[in-house]
Amino acid sequence: MHGTMTNEILAAIDDEAWDAACAAHLARRAGFGARPEEVDELVALGPSAAVHRFVDFPERAQGLEEEIAALGGELDVREEASVSSYEMTERLRQWWLYRLVATPYPLQEKLALFWHDHFACQESKVVH
């Protein structure tokens, strides 16, 4: 009985059951939520393609690093005599927060956030 219940929970949603509530739930779980127009796009894609939109991401988000650099926030962690350790850590935080909200692949960033929390370390113990 328990195995059957697990299989039902993990079963794919069929096209008839796929709606805005399901798409919004997917966006919250696989990303950081979605605007109404993004939910509409996910609904139009259907359940399988919507899932693939989240899980099929490239190793590098095309253009994202360039966008961040254009805003003056490129990640540069080289030691500079004029920059304190606190300021370098703050730059890293700002870089990552921008990536979290601007990426077209939120699951990639959500996974990085999960593993960062799982293998937490202090900035003072990380040299590079």
Side-chain angles (χ1 to χ4, degrees):
M1 177 103 159
H2 180 63
T4 304
M5 183 178 180
T6 301
N7 290 340
E8 289 173 10
I9 291 171
L10 298 177
I13 296 174
D14 61 16
D15 290 340
E16 292 79 35
W18 182 248
D19 60 9
C22 293
H25 179 75
L26 174 64
R28 285 190 304 275
R29 297 304 300 241
F32 301 100
R35 294 185 308 272
E37 60 272 11
E38 293 170 324
V39 171
D40 293 342
E41 289 174 16
L42 292 172
V43 171
L45 286 173
S48 181
V51 168
H52 283 284
R53 179 180 239 172
F54 284 98
V55 299
D56 294 339
F57 49 82
E59 186 175 320
R60 178 179 158 93
Q62 190 69 8
L64 183 58
E65 292 302 323
E66 293 78 10
E67 179 182 330
I68 293 171
L71 294 170
E74 66 272 6
L75 180 61
D76 184 1
V77 292
R78 292 176 290 179
E79 292 184 29
E80 299 174 25
S82 64
V83 179
S84 69
S85 174
Y86 173 81
E87 187 176 340
M88 290 304 295
T89 301
E90 189 57 30
R91 285 183 189 177
L92 178 58
R93 278 191 203 112
Q94 291 174 0
W95 171 82
W96 198 5
L97 284 172
Y98 189 85
R99 285 187 62 89
L100 288 168
V101 298
T103 184
Y105 308 105
L107 181 60
Q108 184 178 36
E109 295 302 325
K110 197 166 192 174
L111 289 170
L113 184 60
F114 169 80
W115 288 115
H116 167 74
D117 186 52
H118 186 75
F119 296 111
C121 53
Q122 290 178 291
E123 177 272 332
S124 62
K125 294 183 179 182
V126 177
V127 178
H128 300 286

